[in-house]
Amino acid sequence: MKALKYIILLLLIFIIGSCTYVAVQPNSYDLSRTRTINASAQLIFNEINDYKNWESWSPWLEKEPGIQFTYPEQTSGVGGSYSWTGNDGNGMMKTLEVSPYDSILQEIKFENFPASQVYWKFDAKGPSTDVTWGMKSDNMSFMLKFFAAISGGMDKMVGPDYERGLEKLDSLIINKMSKYDISIQGIKEYGGGYYLYKTTNATSANISATMGKQYGSIMMYMAQNQIQVNGMPLTVYQEMNQQEGTVIMSNGIPVSEKIEVADDSDVLCGYIPKTKVLKTVLKGNYTNLSGAWAATMKHLQDKGLEQSDLKPFEIYTNDPGKFPNPADWVTEIYIPLKE
């Protein structure tokens, strides 16, 4: 009997000591993980802002495929929410604050535990974005302290899941951005029109940056002279060497009529007449344009079509600033044909 009493006494001491240890642990925590993703803050923000997207990169669904999600009518923006039921219990999350493309503040509530705040920060760094995912609370319950204590702390208990979630989010975003489609539309008729342009040379390494400077300069000239834009930007290829990756190009902005420019101006006015063309549409990142041109030229050869003396050109039919995912960019390629 004495041995049993000692065992019970030791157990009581252990329990009291453990409870005391747990009770004196800090009432607050703030943990986070950061990952650099090679995508715009807008694209990443849009992916995270809608809870319906979370299933695609959730680290918890990977651990427990049978978890059940419930979505209300509103799942994005302030007031958006969702809930779940799983083997580890039930919970829900709702969005409290949103600063587009900069930050998101959410509240997460697990069954039988006080609510915590989840926060996202998007720090644009040129073409990439530092994405920070964190969670914090100033009101840890005794049970949460207990689970954190036996797991080595909240950071070790939750941090690896956040790391895995950001890793999956990165892969998902890159995969979405890499999708593209090349569609050869066949023989069409291009209506023609005037355009203001500047001519320069470029390589495959600097062509995007060069185009941006060219269009910026033309738009500035048009603003200074109160000239209205009459269509989407285009590029006329004066010379194209696909093997060496070099071009001489005229980057232009359509206008409604012929514009008389000063003799000393580096901005000129050009004209593309109404003509028969072979048309190809690329939906996807501009980096896929070389493949689209190669497919177009092959089609030209396979069908025995003959290019006219007019230079080939392409038109960028939507604004990348309004379409953060490059997979949504649309470019039309035109090769003028002999009648």
Side-chain angles (χ1 to χ4, degrees), residues 106-126:
Q106 301 160 327
E107 181 182 76
I108 187 169
K109 177 73 169 63
F110 294 97
E111 193 174 41
N112 301 321
F113 289 98
S116 298
Q117 288 189 333
V118 173
Y119 58 91
W120 295 86
K121 180 65 179 175
F122 310 95
D123 187 9
K125 297 290 181 64

Side-chain angles (χ1 to χ4, degrees), residues 77-97:
V78 176
S81 65
Y82 84 116
S83 58
W84 63 88
T85 302
N87 295 332
D88 293 332
N90 307 329
M92 66 89 62
M93 181 177 284
K94 64 180 179 181
T95 301
L96 305 178
E97 299 175 11

Side-chain angles (χ1 to χ4, degrees), residues 139-152:
N139 184 30
M140 291 182 70
S141 65
F142 179 86
M143 286 301 297
L144 185 57
K145 287 184 181 181
F146 173 77
F147 285 122
I150 63 176
S151 301

